[in-house]
Amino acid sequence: MSLEVKIMDNMKEAMKAKDSVALEALRAIKSAIILAKTEAGAGDGLSEDQEIKMLQRLVKMRKDSAEIFTAQNRPDLAEPELAQIAVIEKFLPAQLSEEEVEAVIAKIIAETGASGIASMGKVMGLASAQIGGQAEGKVISGIVKKLLV
């Protein structure tokens, strides 16, 4: 079942349950899907990788907003953002723990013989391709830096 169909089904359920937070998050996903489909050169539909990247972008935007609201002592605005993150993350693949990410990156470094910060781009490219939507880029980058320095 495509992401778009899953979103529509969940939107119907959220409407019936009168869950405004979930409905808002689902509408944001649907909007992002429509925008991605109408971009120049989008083709017929979105690949699974494109869907995952789009969902990760939506989660990141909400995390950033929640951090700003929390820093400004506005928990009333931060809470809906955090609730929407939980809704969006249901559609993402299971996230790897930092230890699992570190094991994958250590294996990549051993296989490529990378050493020093100059090899960071090469390792990041391979790690991002291998781990993909299972970890945030920020986490991957931090672990690569830690292991290469």
Side-chain angles (χ1 to χ4, degrees):
M1 184 175 348
S2 74
L3 177 65
E4 195 168 9
V5 173
K6 289 178 190 175
I7 297 300
M8 291 304 295
D9 290 344
N10 284 318
M11 280 179 69
K12 290 174 190 172
E13 291 172 21
M15 284 181 202
K16 288 178 185 175
K18 297 186 188 321
D19 186 352
S20 62
V21 173
L23 191 57
E24 190 175 340
L26 294 167
R27 283 182 175 150
I29 296 170
K30 183 179 177 199
S31 173
I33 290 171
I34 291 170
L35 285 172
K37 280 183 163 182
T38 57
E39 285 179 356
D44 291 338
L46 298 175
S47 70
E48 191 173 336
D49 284 346
Q50 290 172 317
E51 290 174 348
I52 290 171
K53 286 179 183 175
M54 177 195 59
L55 291 171
Q56 286 177 325
R57 202 170 336 143
L58 291 172
V59 168
K60 185 179 182 327
M61 286 170 33
R62 278 155 184 77
K63 280 184 181 178
D64 292 345
S65 295
E67 286 176 18
I68 291 169
F69 293 142
T70 303
Q72 294 176 348
N73 199 24
R74 294 294 311 262
D76 57 314
L77 296 176
E79 287 175 21
E81 296 290 331
L82 296 172
Q84 286 184 25
I85 289 170
V87 172
I88 296 169
E89 284 180 338
K90 290 179 188 175
F91 301 99
L92 285 170
Q95 299 292 297
L96 297 175
S97 69
E98 284 194 30
E99 293 79 26
E100 292 170 320
V101 173
E102 191 168 336
V104 171
I105 292 172
K107 182 180 173 195
I108 291 171
I109 291 172
E111 288 174 356
T112 60
S115 63
I117 202 76
S119 303
M120 186 169 173
K122 179 180 178 182
V123 175
M124 279 294 298
L126 293 169
S128 294
Q130 205 168 33
I131 297 171
Q134 298 176 323
E136 288 184 13
K138 193 174 185 179
V139 172
I140 296 170
S141 174
I143 292 173
V144 169
K145 278 182 186 174
K146 183 175 90 173
L147 294 177
L148 286 178
V149 174

